Amino acid sequence: MTLRLHNTLTGRKEDFEPLEAGHVRMYTCGPTVWNYAHVGNLRAFLFYDLVRRHLRVSGYRVTHVMNLTDIDDRILDQAMHARTTIEEYVKPYAQAFFEDMAALRAERAEHYPRATEHIPEMVDMISSLIEHEYAYIADGDVYFRIDSFPRYGELSHLDRAGLKAGVRVATDKYEKESVSDFALWKRSHPEDEEIGASWDAPFGKGRPGWHIECSAMSKRYLGDTLDIHAGGIDLMFPHHENEIAQSEAANHKTFARVWLHSEHLSDATGEKMSKSAGGFTTLRDLVAAGHDPLAVRMFLIANAHYRSRVRLSPEALHAAAEQVRRLREFAERLDRTTPAGEDDHALARRTAEVRAGYRDALDDDLNLPQGVGLVFDHLREANAALDAGRVGPLNKDALRALLSDVDAHLDVIRAEEPGLAEEVERLIAERETARRERDFARADRIREDLKSRGIALEDSKDGVRWRRLRPAERS
RNA sequence: GGCGACGUAGCCAAGUGGCAAGGCAGAGGUCUGCAAAACCUCCAUCCCGAGUUCGAUUCUCGGCGUCGCCUCCA
């Protein structure tokens, strides 16, 4: 099967083919670093990670750009209150973003451009838009003239008549020709200078509007036409619509060929998680509550398809954690296993089927939940075969390959801490001696002692194994 | 008001015009000094009604319910 992706532009799944053979140019809307990212934000970012991983699995070279919005109204407000510059204000949150992404094992993008470092590119683009009358200056601000771009609304399938009807009156503080026109540039106020949020431009001192940064930075790093542009579904309108208008008006080329949008994560009440609405959960919150970041990763990318809404719940996180544990347990067991003399041909056939099915599921608009389901089904068969000692050398290799396929997307199997703690090994040996002498009281004491330190022991025919307990498992 | 999505077991969730994946939780069992892991067994007439069809959870229409976008937002 070839890779098929659901393109918001057409509302259909389409065969994917990049403009340049073998090379995908992808732009994804990153965080506004005015605060910690909440888990809903992270869902979108891990969705981007899934896309890029699958593209790479599919043999493409990927140039992935994810922006950091380090200037916007919220940042201005916060910096002003904190009496600092926007640059200083944003620092810890930008750092926290990269820490969160690392903890969640998101692959790094090729470029993380920041808005404030690309003002000249934005100014150029705005100048060109003004020159060609796609934009106009009003009272020091610069607006995009929506009437100049007839295709406005195509992505979000909103017609312009409906838009105008829906717009609230609150935006009337600006001198706009039309209520739907959006800001490309906002003129400076005296306070903006003090917090480092003001730049010179031919059309007057000011700061960029939000939308223009993506148009300018994607052009700078990826050119006029992107193969894939992705973002959370709430960005579809107006942000992505505005990006299309700006870029296509300025470049006279198709801006993005495929648009991917990931659905929202809702909070415990079932409503969209959002910063402005109050209750939101960060990765830090979940870790403090005893959740493994990789369980969070598993939950966010594999619990439900990216285009369906999911609700954050302790039960779902627990289920994801169990899935991670089962995968690891199986991987370790496989590694320990000495292959049987001959291979189980039925098992080999099934493993091959599952590998193909997994691949097909991912090719079908990144249906990771379905793929993972197939794999867990097969894990049961494989565990039974291991129980029965029926796993031969080829079986073992094939199962390893299956795990490797799955972990290319999930990336949760690899253990965090390489190397065994020697002390644990020593205590295990001590306990084995006690068990041989049938001193079970002492054996249990050692096991309990290790458990209290976060290490679980498991006795089996092949000897004693140990693993780290998740914080939530300790008691 | 306009546009749109969704409603599958106690929970999460995939999916198909032809007897409904997977995970979590639960019950019973095998194994084990005990436990854990693993395995086995059990656990769904797919929101309601009508229609199309030999046959619908899957298509159409109508209800009811939940949610999203139309405004900053991943």
Side-chain angles (χ1 to χ4, degrees), chain A residues 217-455:
Chain A
M217 297 194 294
S218 64
K219 181 183 170 80
R220 158 83 166 68
Y221 292 94
L222 297 169
D224 289 343
T225 301
L226 313 170
D227 291 303
I228 294 176
H229 190 136
I233 195 163
D234 51 355
L235 297 186
M236 189 167 84
F237 186 92
H239 183 54
H240 291 158
E241 206 70 71
N242 293 352
E243 283 184 48
I244 292 172
Q246 295 160 345
S247 289
E248 300 198 351
N251 304 328
H252 305 288
K253 297 254 182 65
T254 298
F255 177 48
R257 302 169 62 236
V258 179
W259 285 88
L260 305 179
H261 289 101
S262 63
E263 254 296 351
H264 287 309
L265 180 74
S266 32
D267 61 19
T269 69
E271 302 204 341
K272 172 184 167 183
M273 184 178 290
S274 86
K275 288 174 181 169
S276 34
F280 67 91
T281 309
T282 65
L283 181 61
R284 274 140 228 271
D285 295 333
L286 293 177
V287 169
H291 296 289
D292 177 353
L294 294 182
V296 177
R297 174 181 174 85
M298 186 78 189
F299 166 70
L300 289 175
I301 66 175
N303 179 64
H305 184 85
Y306 77 88
R307 280 191 289 112
S308 67
R309 265 188 285 269
V310 291
R311 186 189 293 224
L312 180 68
S313 72
E315 293 79 10
L317 282 171
H318 170 73
E322 279 299 300
Q323 289 186 312
V324 171
R325 189 193 55 73
R326 277 175 64 93
L327 282 167
R328 284 191 180 159
E329 201 84 42
F330 179 80
E332 283 164 22
R333 183 177 188 192
L334 197 61
D335 282 345
R336 278 194 315 272
T337 297
T338 308
E342 56 185 276
D343 284 292
D344 181 328
H345 297 294
L347 179 68
R349 193 171 57 245
R350 285 286 300 139
T351 306
E353 282 170 10
V354 170
R355 283 190 74 188
Y358 177 80
R359 176 58 185 269
D360 284 348
L362 270 291
D363 277 346
D364 184 14
D365 196 30
L366 306 164
N367 199 335
L368 187 58
Q370 185 177 56
V372 166
L374 293 172
V375 170
F376 275 110
D377 198 24
H378 192 56
L379 242 50
R380 201 177 50 240
E381 295 175 55
N383 265 319
L386 285 165
D387 282 350
R390 287 191 283 106
V391 172
L394 294 178
N395 287 325
K396 183 171 168 173
D397 289 347
L399 287 167
R400 272 213 178 107
L402 173 65
L403 285 180
S404 161
D405 288 353
V406 175
D407 218 32
H409 301 106
L410 295 182
D411 203 357
V412 296
I413 296 177
R414 168 168 58 96
E416 282 143 289
E417 301 177 45
L420 296 184
E422 281 141 29
E423 195 192 355
V424 174
E425 291 298 315
R426 189 179 57 74
L427 286 169
I428 287 174
E430 208 177 304
R431 175 166 168 272
E432 285 310 282
T433 307
R435 290 179 73 202
R436 265 194 304 280
E437 292 165 359
R438 305 196 70 77
D439 184 356
F440 295 121
R442 191 164 142 237
D444 288 346
R445 204 159 49 236
I446 292 172
R447 183 168 61 187
E448 283 308 305
D449 185 48
L450 281 169
K451 190 180 178 191
S452 68
R453 292 159 62 184
I455 306 288

Side-chain angles (χ1 to χ4, degrees), chain A residues 67-68 70 90 94 98 112-118 122 213 217:
Chain A
N67 67 303
L68 263 65
D70 57 356
V90 138
F98 287 111
Y112 291 99
R114 297 177 185 222
T116 57
E117 290 169 4
H118 296 80
M122 298 186 222
E213 68 175 83
M217 297 194 294

Side-chain angles (χ1 to χ4, degrees), chain A residues 29-92:
Chain A
C29 289
T32 300
V33 284
W34 73 289
N35 203 327
Y36 294 108
H38 67 237
V39 200
N41 298 325
L42 296 174
R43 182 187 187 194
F45 304 152
L46 287 182
F47 163 61
Y48 309 156
D49 180 59
L50 175 63
V51 176
R52 71 167 277 139
R53 281 172 185 264
H54 192 58
L55 288 169
R56 285 157 58 86
V57 163
S58 305
Y60 293 109
R61 178 163 81 86
V62 177
T63 305
H64 175 195
V65 177
M66 173 142 70
N67 67 303
L68 263 65
T69 299
D70 57 356
I71 170 144
D72 87 326
D73 289 352
R74 292 167 298 184
I75 293 172
L76 253 56
D77 287 348
Q78 298 291 326
M80 215 103 67
H81 277 116
R83 292 158 183 256
T84 183
T85 61
I86 57 169
E87 191 184 350
E88 284 303 314
Y89 175 77
V90 138
K91 244 178 210 167

